[in-house]
Amino acid sequence: MERIITTLIYRLWPDFDMQPAADRARLYMNISGVLFSLPWLVVGLAWLVIQIDPIVLRSNWAFMLFILGFSLIIERLPFYYFINMGGEHYGSNSSDLCDIVLVSGYFIFGPTTVTIFLIKTLVAYILSWFGATSTIHRWIWLRNFLFNLGTPLVAILAGLAVYGAAGGQYPLTGLNANQLLAAFLALVVYWMVIALLMLLWWFLLYRSRLLETTADVELNGNSQSNLDQVVLYRKSFIFLIAAYIPGVFGILAAVLYTRIGIWIYLLFFLGVFFVSLLARRMSFAMMTSQQKTRELDQLEQLGREIIAAPADASNLPNLLEKYLPGMLSYQQLSVRLFDGHSLLNLPQD
């Protein structure tokens, strides 16, 4: 696979060796992600076509349209969490409660409802395409689109196949212990397939010699080489938990729909909407608090070193380069004197 990736990269970018190290690493990561995701997407789409029941689509299209619309609304209310990646470097991920809505549909109408996930993902990524303003951003968009469409598609259908094999029925009534166990087992398989595919991609990525020689992972605008793989695996695991564990409540929603009725089902999702709003506000408050704490800590350390530095300020550019990246979130950073002289430019070009 590495040889294929390398050949494709040099065909697309003949001047690849002249690119900055961080850009080379990003390009390699994105190309490898695209090639890794494509087979899973093909398998998932073929599997879904076989599973679709036209009768279910025709008789329940209005309800499925509601699930699609509500899942798109919830997806627009993400919350954020932050992970220390080592030292002063932090990573972040976003998640939402959209999986609760989708999982409830899977256990009410069966595999046909997976088409809602497909349409939702297509709509979300088509809208986000307009934010990709550079070549690298477009490749990042393509990698994320294919990975976040193909791997969950296979994982969902694998989980529902296990559900059917374990005796699960549609819709899920919830009064039968065997059906509840089958539903939980389906979700576990769903999560495990996602986790295994994610870890497999990281494994293939980090055993590459090309990436090891050019690896610069940008965090908060600052490049950090040789990022601990264990930290990356931990970050992926935490992301998996935050993104998919709420799907357990989708089982509850399906049971409410089949046993009590559509109105309690809608009331349940009204609660999901307000919980999403609350989680989003709390995550923004936490983000602001962490940013201010980091700024004050770095500012204090910078002040101490400036006081201890030579009086001619000859060491000031080095001190700024050491501390400012950890204080600020930025794409480009420049510190200049009033006469136009630059003390610091990140990135250097």
Side-chain angles (χ1 to χ4, degrees), residues 61-209:
W61 65 269
F63 195 9
M64 289 188 179
L65 194 60
F66 162 76
I67 294 176
L68 172 62
F70 193 74
S71 64
L72 286 171
I73 292 173
I74 295 298
E75 191 175 51
R76 303 297 293 178
L77 299 172
F79 50 89
Y80 303 88
Y81 52 96
F82 306 88
I83 306 168
N84 188 298
M85 304 292 287
E88 300 298 331
H89 299 283
Y90 291 83
S92 64
N93 262 320
S94 64
S95 186
D96 54 59
L97 300 181
C98 183
D99 224 37
I100 299 178
V101 187
L102 295 174
V103 168
S104 71
Y106 303 153
F107 288 119
I108 294 173
F109 301 115
T112 303
T113 322
V114 180
T115 55
I116 295 176
F117 164 78
L118 180 65
I119 297 172
K120 177 195 74 70
T121 305
L122 286 172
V123 171
Y125 273 93
I126 288 173
L127 293 176
S128 68
W129 166 257
F130 301 101
T133 56
S134 68
T135 301
I136 290 180
H137 286 150
R138 293 188 184 100
W139 276 101
I140 292 174
W141 179 92
L142 182 61
R143 180 201 71 193
N144 290 337
F145 170 64
L146 295 178
F147 188 86
N148 292 328
L149 183 61
T151 53
L153 198 58
V154 171
I156 294 166
L157 292 171
L160 293 179
V162 170
Y163 175 72
Q169 299 177 356
Y170 305 108
L172 171 65
T173 62
L175 296 182
N176 188 318
N178 291 333
Q179 284 198 47
L180 280 178
L181 182 61
F184 280 110
L185 182 61
L187 289 185
V188 170
V189 171
Y190 171 33
W191 301 331
M192 286 182 63
V193 173
I194 290 285
L196 289 175
L197 292 178
M198 188 181 298
L199 292 178
L200 177 60
W201 182 52
W202 279 113
F203 174 76
L204 294 174
L205 191 63
Y206 276 89
R207 68 189 297 268
S208 163
R209 293 187 302 273

